[in-house]
Amino acid sequence: MTTDITYLSDLQSGDEAIITKVLGHGAFRKRITEMGFVKGEKVRVIKNAPLQDPVEYEIMGYNVSLRRSEARLVEVVSVEEAAGLAEVKFEGTIDEETLKVSALKKGKTIRVALVGNPNCGKTTLFNYASGSHERVGNYSGVTVDAKEAVMKKDDYTFKIYDLPGTYSITEYSPEELYVRTHITESIPDIVVNVVDASNLKRNLFLTTQLIDMNIKVVIALNMYDELEKKNVKFDYDSLGQMIGIPVIPTVASRGKGIDELFAKLIDVYEDRDTSVRHIHINYGSLIEDALKEIQDEIWKTPEITDKLSSRYVAVKLLETDKTTLRQLEKYANYETIKGKAKKAILKLEKEYGEKSETIITDAKYGFINGALKETLTEPRKDKQAVKRELDDILTHKFWGFPIFLFLMWLMFQATFTLGSYPMEWIDAGVKLLHDWLQTSMSEGPLRDLLVDGIIGGVGGVIVFLPNILILFFFISLMEDTGYMARASFIMDKLMHKIGLHGKSFIPLVMGFGCNVPAIMATRTLDNKKDRILTMIITPFMSCSARLPVYVLLISAIFPSRQGLVLFSIYVIGIVLAILTALVMKRVAFAKKEVPFVMELPPYRIPTLKNTSIHMWHKGQQYLRKMGTVILVASILIWVLGYFPRNVEYSKDYDTQIVSAQTNPQLSEMQKENLVSHLTVEQEAERQEKSYIGQLGHAIEPVISPLGYDWKMGVSIISGLAAKEIVVSTMGILYQADLQADENSGTLKANLHKQTHLTGKMKGQKVFTPLVTYGFMLFILIYFPCVAVIAAIKKEANWGWAIFTMVYTTAIAWIVAFATFQLGSLLV
């Protein structure tokens, strides 16, 4: 009986269906089949995103999202209609009894590559085993480059490489090519395939590709405790015997099984483990015949088979892998190999009625299904009983956005509220040290350098360490729990409107911590134009280096609306990023859509250890920056402000001060006030005529329309190296200006008292709410720090790096100008 064709996009929330065919072609087709959307698999609709697109599905026990336009390319039938569908046949394995012997020179150094799906706990294992502090996050793409660590065990030295998380080693994304290139070019002694025990079927797809490569592999069956909690019985030893790969259960977050894993690596390295053998996955007679025909030609070129498994190369050619074809171009029989592969592909596609890469993917999943049928026993369970209450709330079509915005506001409010107490303690400690040096040292340049330069500069920045730690704690929590991936899900529709992929949201949110790793994280985006566009708008995400500037100014000028003002600064950065993306999308980045296929990992409770390690790791980076860049910059700024000493004053201050002190007509209070006023005026004039004052006055024509004084201009220039230096610069300039005032107090108090000493604004306060807000916006938008520019140059090129420098500074000036000039007319 024939029925009308039903597509995945036709299903409603809660509907279940069986996949019959995947349409489309190219990158989308390859990715979606590797994610598990293959013939015979059951799929269930979870819910629509807040804007009805994308749609969340459950398949193979995982939740993934597709846009409706992509779901339209998947044909399905109801569960009842699918009863007659035949499963992909399990053909068993083809054994090769001889043990693999490493071609590499034996020694006591073992090079290990960690390979696995995103969210499988690979980097957690890496951190625990090596004692390293690499970032751990519960979403795809945290590791965007290979991280290396060294550890010792039983007289062996392990060089461990944490490779990017990837679902396969095809050529769909930069991570996949990076992992494949590392394995084929760097040739590790052993690959540790980290497998998420709670989702074996999907994770073992990558394992089948490693089997094809004929390399030494050990499986770390990670998160094994989650499998046990579900009362699942898994005979992992039998699976290991079947595929010729030892399997070691681990719980990396708690260190369980790590010692056993590394003991097994030593045995495998020394060829002492008799379970290790090379097997061939039997893809069925037709595919096997095609592989054999291609291999016969590949074997004629030993230069190929010396480095790569002929079977692996043949499989890649059947999958129409362009990178493999390019690698073979230099060999004499390239055209013959290519011709045989093309002929085999045509024959298979005619026989199966599918694209060749889909045929291979189906065969691999057929093998996985058969292997798990023999080794895995799951308890019967009611699918509807799976708890989804948390997801129903956090990704609700109405409440998803408000909850996200509330969590962002809560993070910023907590940064102030919780951070204020330790901030006050550190501030009091800095002031005690300042006063002690002031009184215990004799007057002179050295005391001035220590008190005004180093303590005034570095001390002004260190007080914000608690705020930085709290911010990173919250970001880490969102990443590790899996909420960040949900944020990408609910934001995809809006991201798509501005020309970006939903996955771009993750690097952008990472930018709230630091723009440099956020720029590097754009490597997880599959489309080059997406990567560059995300890079050039990432600087609008206000990084933690800018936070000390905001905390200082908001505490001084906006004490009653701290969380709200800070939240508004971050929101404006996001709005500017969106507007810039919209413009750039039309001017330079018109492109084809990229498929939205992103894993929604299960919610996990992050360990306090991992979250604390990440938080403190960022705190260490902040402290190191204070001991290097900020310290040097503070000393340089102090020197420029301290010299020259032989300033020619506009009037004789010394004589006027003596005259005031000896004037019999004045009371003691009047004398004290007049002397204080003259001293401050003298110091202000000396600073204006110092080298840094001359620099500030040189740029004054550019910044005066913004309402800034010359010291704010100098602070902006100093911030080119690192944004924290803005605070240390202000600490040196504004503290020095009022150092003779007994009631000067902290830098916050000094900023409140600042007045313009010259020009048409003479006598008016410098830091009015309008000017302060405009100044914070300028700091938010203008020239990213040198490290960010270097990262953009590395990931794109000098052209985009220079463009970012120029356009961000131009926008910063325009926004600050509009804030001050238009605000002055309205307020």
Side-chain angles (χ1 to χ4, degrees):
M1 184 178 69
T2 59
T3 58
D4 292 334
I5 296 174
T6 303
Y7 296 98
L8 191 57
S9 58
D10 298 330
L11 303 183
Q12 302 300 313
S13 296
D15 285 355
E16 290 186 342
I18 306 297
I19 296 171
T20 57
K21 184 179 287 186
V22 177
L23 307 176
H25 57 84
F28 167 76
R29 186 186 182 88
K30 186 175 291 186
R31 164 58 68 209
I32 202 170
T33 55
E34 289 172 352
M35 290 285 286
F37 286 81
V38 293
K39 184 170 64 176
E41 282 297 329
K42 182 185 287 187
V43 61
R44 183 164 70 93
V45 185
I46 302 298
K47 70 161 74 69
N48 293 307
L51 297 180
Q52 302 302 307
D53 205 6
V55 182
E56 181 181 351
Y57 298 96
E58 180 185 25
I59 189 166
M60 294 187 180
Y62 259 55
N63 298 343
V64 297
S65 299
L66 295 179
R67 295 196 187 109
R68 286 190 174 277
S69 58
E70 285 133 23
R72 179 76 181 170
L73 298 174
V74 180
E75 290 184 12
V76 296
V77 294
S78 68
V79 176
E80 293 77 18
E81 289 175 299
L85 283 178
E87 293 183 353
V88 178
K89 191 176 179 184
F90 173 54
E91 300 285 350
T93 65
I94 308 169
D95 289 341
E96 290 181 2
E97 295 299 334
T98 56
L99 297 176
K100 288 189 295 183
V101 179
S102 175
L104 301 175
K105 184 178 179 181
K106 289 301 172 81
K108 290 288 186 179
T109 300
I110 306 176
R111 292 181 300 141
V112 177
L114 300 183
V115 175
N117 285 195
N119 309 312
C120 67
K122 181 171 50 61
T123 302
T124 304
L125 189 151
F126 175 81
N127 287 346
Y128 194 95
S130 64
S132 181
H133 295 154
E134 292 307 328
R135 181 70 191 97
V136 182
N138 187 16
Y139 61 87
S140 170
V142 173
T143 310
V144 293
D145 206 342
K147 303 296 188 299
E148 180 181 350
V150 177
M151 67 165 285
K152 292 186 179 293
K153 179 179 174 61
D154 299 341
D155 297 326
Y156 286 85
T157 299
F158 288 90
K159 285 189 175 179
I160 311 168
Y161 301 89
D162 179 21
L163 301 183
T166 179
Y167 297 105
S168 72
I169 43 175
T170 55
E171 56 176 2
Y172 180 76
S173 69
E175 306 104 296
E176 294 176 352
L177 278 177
Y178 188 97
V179 171
R180 185 164 81 181
T181 301
H182 182 91
I183 294 173
T184 57
E185 298 295 332
S186 300
I187 313 177
D189 297 311
I190 304 173
V191 169
V192 173
N193 181 200
V194 185
V195 170
D196 179 358
S198 65
N199 196 299
L200 290 165
K201 189 183 292 186
R202 233 273 311 288
N203 279 245
L204 288 174
F205 182 83
L206 178 58
T207 309
T208 63
Q209 295 182 315
L210 297 174
I211 289 172
D212 287 338
M213 297 183 83
N214 189 14
I215 55 178
K216 285 188 174 180
V217 180
V218 174
I219 290 177
L221 189 62
N222 200 32
M223 306 181 198
Y224 189 67
D225 55 335
E226 294 189 15
L227 200 69
E228 292 178 316
K229 286 176 186 174
K230 295 176 183 176
N231 200 26
V232 175
K233 298 187 187 310
F234 180 43
D235 188 353
Y236 55 83
D237 284 329
S238 293
L239 178 69
Q241 291 290 335
M242 186 186 301
I243 63 178
I245 297 175
V247 181
I248 307 297
T250 61
V251 183
S253 60
R254 298 206 295 269
K256 288 187 177 180
I258 305 299
D259 288 339
E260 292 84 351
L261 174 64
F262 279 87
K264 180 61 69 176
L265 292 178
I266 293 171
D267 287 343
V268 171
Y269 178 71
E270 296 292 0
D271 296 320
R272 295 197 293 258
D273 192 306
T274 55
S275 68
V276 177
R277 72 188 195 284
H278 177 55
I279 64 126
H280 288 166
I281 296 170
N282 190 337
Y283 293 120
S285 58
L286 287 176
I287 299 175
E288 290 296 331
D289 289 344
L291 290 173
K292 180 67 165 57
E293 191 172 341
I294 299 169
Q295 282 179 275
D296 286 341
E297 189 60 39
I298 292 171
W299 282 325
K300 293 178 182 178
T301 308
E303 292 92 335
I304 301 174
T305 54
D306 283 348
K307 195 171 184 180
L308 299 169
S309 161
S310 62
R311 186 176 178 86
Y312 162 74
V313 175
V315 169
K316 285 294 157 197
L317 290 175
L318 284 184
E319 291 177 335
T320 64
D321 188 279
K322 293 176 183 176
T323 302
T324 302
L325 274 173
R326 284 196 297 269
Q327 289 174 332
L328 300 178
E329 283 178 352
K330 58 185 175 182
Y331 300 114
N333 61 341
Y334 164 70
E335 290 297 337
T336 309
I337 295 173
K338 181 181 176 183
K340 287 198 173 185
K342 188 175 181 180
K343 183 180 176 183
I345 289 168
L346 290 172
K347 185 177 178 181
L348 288 174
E349 290 182 348
K350 183 179 179 182
E351 185 68 31
Y352 284 89
E354 293 275 9
K355 291 292 185 181
S356 58
E357 58 262 39
T358 304
I359 297 168
I360 298 292
T361 300
D362 284 347
K364 285 182 182 292
Y365 274 119
F367 169 77
I368 293 166
N369 286 333
L372 291 179
K373 275 184 180 179
E374 295 187 19
T375 57
L376 187 73
T377 306
E378 295 188 79
R380 297 184 66 180
K381 58 184 179 181
D382 180 10
K383 292 286 185 181
Q384 300 301 322
V386 178
K387 289 186 177 180
R388 296 195 49 84
E389 288 86 352
L390 192 59
D391 233 3
D392 288 339
I393 297 170
L394 294 180
T395 60
H396 191 273
K397 62 180 180 180
F398 297 126
W399 302 113
F401 283 118
I403 289 172
F404 172 70
L405 292 174
F406 171 75
L407 290 174
M408 292 292 105
W409 172 84
L410 181 65
M411 179 172 71
F412 301 134
Q413 186 64 41
T415 299
F416 272 106
T417 310
L418 300 179
S420 62
Y421 301 105
M423 183 180 167
E424 288 174 6
W425 303 334
I426 296 173
D427 197 21
V430 170
K431 192 173 187 308
L432 282 173
L433 180 60
H434 178 283
D435 295 343
W436 178 75
L437 287 174
Q438 185 86 25
T439 54
S440 62
M441 292 183 70
S442 56
E443 190 175 339
L446 179 60
R447 188 188 76 172
D448 292 342
L449 170 62
L450 290 173
V451 173
D452 299 326
I454 295 175
I455 302 299
V458 177
V461 177
I462 196 172
V463 296
F464 302 105
L465 178 61
N467 306 93
I468 300 294
L469 292 176
I470 291 168
L471 179 69
F472 275 110
F473 179 83
F474 275 92
I475 291 176
S476 178
L477 235 90
M478 285 195 294
E479 292 171 350
D480 295 346
T481 55
Y483 179 71
M484 199 70 83
R486 269 72 187 179
S488 295
F489 171 72
I490 65 174
M491 291 294 291
D492 177 67
K493 185 74 173 181
L494 289 180
M495 301 297 285
H496 182 56
K497 291 289 185 186
I498 66 173
L500 286 172
H501 193 284
K503 286 171 72 174
S504 294
F505 186 70
I506 288 173
L508 293 176
V509 174
M510 287 178 71
F512 289 141
C514 179
N515 287 169
V516 176
I519 297 294
M520 295 173 67
T522 59
R523 295 180 201 172
T524 62
L525 302 172
D526 305 313
N527 183 283
K528 184 180 178 181
K529 290 182 177 180
D530 274 340
R531 291 198 295 274
I532 294 176
L533 182 53
T534 305
M535 271 182 233
I536 62 175
I537 66 171
T538 294
F540 290 121
M541 301 300 108
S542 192
C543 67
S544 60
R546 299 174 175 105
L547 187 62
V549 185
Y550 305 151
V551 173
L552 171 66
L553 295 173
I554 292 172
S555 300
I557 312 301
F558 304 99
S560 60
R561 294 285 186 272
Q562 294 182 342
L564 185 61
V565 173
L566 182 63
F567 181 60
S568 70
I569 295 291
Y570 280 76
V571 169
I572 289 172
I574 294 168
V575 170
L576 285 171
I578 291 171
L579 294 175
T580 303
L582 285 171
V583 173
M584 295 301 293
K585 175 187 176 184
R586 285 162 176 76
V587 173
F589 292 98
K591 65 183 191 316
K592 291 172 65 179
E593 284 187 13
V594 175
F596 180 81
V597 183
M598 182 177 177
E599 176 189 331
L600 294 179
Y603 286 106
R604 292 194 173 102
I605 299 174
T607 63
L608 183 61
K609 179 182 177 182
N610 278 337
T611 306
S612 301
I613 284 174
H614 175 232
M615 181 181 71
W616 179 239
H617 187 44
K618 293 301 179 184
Q620 284 180 315
Q621 290 180 339
Y622 188 67
L623 290 170
R624 278 198 297 270
K625 192 184 284 189
M626 280 191 291
T628 53
V629 177
I630 295 172
L631 176 62
V632 172
S634 296
I635 293 172
L636 178 62
I637 291 163
W638 175 83
V639 168
L640 292 174
Y642 193 75
F643 296 100
R645 301 303 291 173
N646 54 339
V647 173
E648 187 174 327
Y649 293 107
S650 59
K651 54 187 175 183
D652 191 349
Y653 287 103
D654 293 337
T655 302
Q656 290 189 19
I657 288 172
V658 171
S659 175
Q661 290 172 333
T662 57
N663 191 337
Q665 297 179 355
L666 299 175
S667 66
E668 288 302 316
M669 179 66 73
Q670 289 173 323
K671 289 179 182 179
E672 190 175 314
N673 290 338
L674 182 55
V675 169
S676 175
H677 175 75
L678 289 169
T679 305
V680 169
E681 196 175 338
Q682 181 182 23
E683 177 60 24
E685 187 174 345
R686 189 201 65 75
Q687 271 202 337
E688 282 198 60
K689 293 181 177 178
S690 68
Y691 294 127
I692 203 165
Q694 294 171 36
L695 175 63
H697 283 296
I699 64 170
E700 207 165 19
V702 179
I703 61 172
S704 58
L706 313 180
Y708 305 164
D709 67 355
W710 65 268
K711 297 173 192 174
M712 295 167 76
V714 171
S715 301
I716 288 169
I717 293 173
S718 69
L720 299 179
K723 293 297 176 282
E724 298 98 332
I725 300 175
V726 172
V727 173
S728 60
T729 304
M730 295 173 78
I732 293 166
L733 296 179
Y734 290 114
Q735 289 278 29
D737 192 20
L738 294 172
Q739 63 183 357
D741 186 353
E742 291 179 0
N743 302 314
S744 62
T746 64
L747 176 57
K748 286 190 291 186
N750 288 358
L751 293 180
H752 219 282
K753 299 172 186 177
Q754 287 296 313
T755 58
H756 289 278
L757 300 175
T758 57
K760 62 181 181 180
M761 298 178 71
K762 184 176 180 179
Q764 297 180 29
K765 281 196 170 185
V766 174
F767 289 95
T768 63
L770 206 55
V771 171
T772 304
Y773 198 76
F775 185 65
M776 288 191 290
L777 290 178
F778 195 98
I779 297 298
L780 161 72
I781 304 165
Y782 88 115
F783 188 109
C785 71
V786 173
V788 172
I789 296 300
I792 294 174
K793 182 262 175 187
K794 181 182 177 184
E795 298 299 321
N797 54 48
W798 266 119
W800 286 113
I802 293 169
F803 172 76
T804 304
M805 289 187 259
V806 174
Y807 98 93
T808 53
T809 307
I811 292 175
W813 192 92
I814 292 168
V815 169
F817 178 83
T819 301
F820 177 64
Q821 297 294 345
L822 295 178
S824 297
L825 293 175
L826 298 172
V827 178

